[in-house]
Amino acid sequence: MLVPLIKAEGAAALFAWLFYRSIPAFVLLQPLAVCLQRNFRRKERKRREQKLGGQFKDGLLAMAVSLRAGHSAENAFEDAAGELAFLYGPEERITREFQRVTARTKMNVPLEQAVLELAARCSLPDIQTFSEVFSAARRTGGELGRIILDTAQTLAGRLEVREEIDTMLRGKQYEQKIMRAVPPLLLIYMDFTSPGFFSVLYETLLGRGIMTGCMGVYLAALYLAERISDIQV
């Protein structure tokens, strides 16, 4: 993805300018850019997974309603695909995944296998667990409607807890963003209002060593703040 790459290279360029005022420093900071790019990609992947998990929960609820109406599991997937297309649009990934399960069953592929394939493509623990429970229930003749509804309620509970945690942390996260912006903004402000005030920090070996230490402390603070606010549910 280009967005994480652009953001990472932009951050590296900003660090090179703020702490070194040097183009060669931008080249030397490429390992930092690589780490930042991985971090941005991890956040984006986590955001997509949370979104997919919430949509999958809605799909399970639609399936549970269909099963309780007396439809087969195959038809329940098809009904859920139609409901997801209405809620999120036909091009949304979760809609296409449910449609793919329906298409596979129409090609005489066992539904259990199609669901396992769905779990393998999505790579989400909740979907993987559901696929295993669903396959076991199909083999043993378990009550699919109840199993699917219980799974949906479990997912909904996790999502609710995650939303409550996000709500509690949102204020602190805003404060974290403000504090994160203060040091760069302070350097920029001093540079424009008092040109040459920090020249000694960029033109001498000792000054560059001090700025390197400041950058290290700043990055460590960013990492620590992110780890504290990264609560897994």
Side-chain angles (χ1 to χ4, degrees):
M1 296 177 62
L2 286 178
V3 174
L5 175 61
I6 293 173
K7 291 172 64 175
E9 293 296 340
L14 180 63
F15 278 114
W17 184 79
L18 287 176
F19 293 99
Y20 298 103
R21 296 292 198 277
S22 169
I23 295 177
F26 173 72
V27 179
L28 295 176
L29 287 175
Q30 285 307 298
L32 173 62
V34 173
C35 294
L36 290 174
Q37 184 179 351
R38 291 176 179 174
N39 186 51
F40 292 143
R41 286 180 174 173
R42 180 184 63 82
K43 288 183 177 180
E44 179 62 22
R45 182 171 61 251
K46 181 179 178 181
R47 186 191 66 80
R48 291 199 306 267
E49 288 177 351
Q50 290 178 350
K51 177 183 177 182
L52 185 63
Q55 294 174 342
F56 183 72
K57 180 260 299 182
D58 292 335
L60 292 185
L61 290 175
M63 285 183 61
V65 171
S66 181
L67 288 169
R68 288 189 170 185
H71 296 173
S72 66
E74 289 81 0
N75 289 335
F77 261 98
E78 187 171 1
D79 293 341
E83 183 67 21
L84 291 171
F86 175 76
L87 291 174
Y88 301 110
E91 298 303 321
E92 191 68 29
R93 181 182 178 185
I94 191 64
T95 304
R96 290 186 283 108
E97 291 292 351
F98 270 68
Q99 289 173 342
R100 188 169 182 176
V101 170
T102 300
R104 292 284 286 165
T105 58
K106 290 181 179 179
M107 297 169 61
N108 295 324
V109 175
L111 180 58
E112 305 93 286
Q113 181 180 336
V115 173
L116 289 172
E117 292 172 354
L118 165 66
R121 289 192 301 271
C122 295
S123 300
L124 287 183
D126 289 333
I127 299 180
Q128 183 66 44
T129 300
F130 167 76
S131 68
E132 294 172 355
V133 173
F134 180 84
S135 298
R138 289 275 289 186
R139 290 194 300 268
T140 59
E143 187 181 345
L144 290 177
R146 181 183 60 81
I147 292 172
I148 291 174
L149 183 59
D150 288 346
T151 304
Q153 290 174 342
T154 300
L155 290 176
R158 290 186 184 180
L159 290 171
E160 184 177 350
V161 171
R162 185 182 294 126
E163 289 173 357
E164 290 178 357
I165 292 174
D166 289 342
T167 300
M168 290 186 293
L169 291 177
R170 193 163 292 125
K172 296 299 182 181
Q173 289 172 344
Y174 285 142
E175 293 177 7
Q176 180 192 125
K177 290 179 180 179
I178 294 173
M179 295 302 296
R180 186 168 55 191
V182 167
L185 291 177
L186 181 60
L187 284 174
I188 294 172
Y189 173 79
M190 292 299 296
D191 188 63
F192 280 97
T193 57
S194 302
F197 185 79
F198 289 130
S199 296
V200 66
L201 295 176
Y202 300 112
E203 297 173 357
T204 64
L205 184 62
L206 178 60
R208 290 172 180 171
I210 292 174
M211 293 303 284
T212 300
C214 290
M215 185 180 70
V217 171
Y218 180 67
L219 290 174
L222 293 181
Y223 175 78
L224 181 61
E226 186 169 309
R227 292 291 294 177
I228 290 173
S229 61
D230 186 18
I231 299 177
Q232 302 293 331
V233 180

